[in-house]
Amino acid sequence: MTDYAIISTGGKQYRVRQGDIIEVEKLQGEVGEEIAFADVLLASVDGSVTVGSPTLDGAKVVGEIAGHDRAPKVTIFKYKNKTRNRVKNGHRQPFTAVTIKEIAAS
C-alpha cells in the first residue's frame, strides 16, 4: 500500500505521496528549508484511511522547498467591439516547488 494524504495550502487541495514534487502558491523560505503542512484533510497510512472534520488533529505532512520559480506566461487580451478598445496584458504566477518527505498521521 502507498501512503498518501490530501493537504490544503494556498486555497487549493493537493493529493501527495512521499517523494512527490508539488507546485504550490509561493511560500516564504529558502531552498532546502523544511516546511510542515498542518492542514491535512485526509490521510491513508498503512491502508487505514482517516478523514478529518475538517482537518485531522496532530497530522502533518513534512516537505522540503526544492525551489522558487514562475509559471509560464498567461496572455490576457480584452477587446471591446466597435470602440477601438484593445488591451493586451500578461501574467506569470510565482510558485514554490516542494518535495514531500514524510506523512505523519496520529
Side-chain angles (χ1 to χ4, degrees):
M1 288 282 175
T2 305
D3 296 344
Y4 68 92
I6 296 178
I7 62 171
S8 175
T9 179
K12 299 179 181 76
Q13 296 175 2
Y14 300 90
R15 181 183 186 269
V16 296
R17 293 183 302 193
Q18 189 171 348
D20 282 355
I21 298 174
I22 59 172
E23 294 178 354
V24 298
E25 295 290 323
K26 186 168 181 169
L27 301 171
Q28 298 296 321
E30 299 296 322
V31 175
E33 191 175 310
E34 280 199 349
I35 189 161
F37 299 101
D39 290 340
V40 180
L41 306 175
L42 180 141
S44 173
V45 179
D46 297 330
S48 65
V49 177
T50 309
V51 179
S53 168
T55 60
L56 293 171
D57 294 331
K60 69 177 182 175
V61 173
V62 178
E64 180 181 316
I65 296 177
H68 301 287
D69 203 358
R70 294 196 304 165
K73 186 176 226 177
V74 177
T75 303
I76 298 101
F77 188 76
K78 298 178 182 176
Y79 173 78
K80 295 200 190 270
N81 195 14
K82 301 176 186 171
T83 61
R84 296 183 183 172
N85 189 1
R86 295 175 180 89
V87 178
K88 182 178 179 183
N89 287 320
H91 176 72
R92 291 186 68 187
Q93 183 71 24
F95 68 85
T96 300
V98 177
T99 304
I100 304 300
K101 294 294 181 188
E102 78 171 288
I103 297 170
S106 57

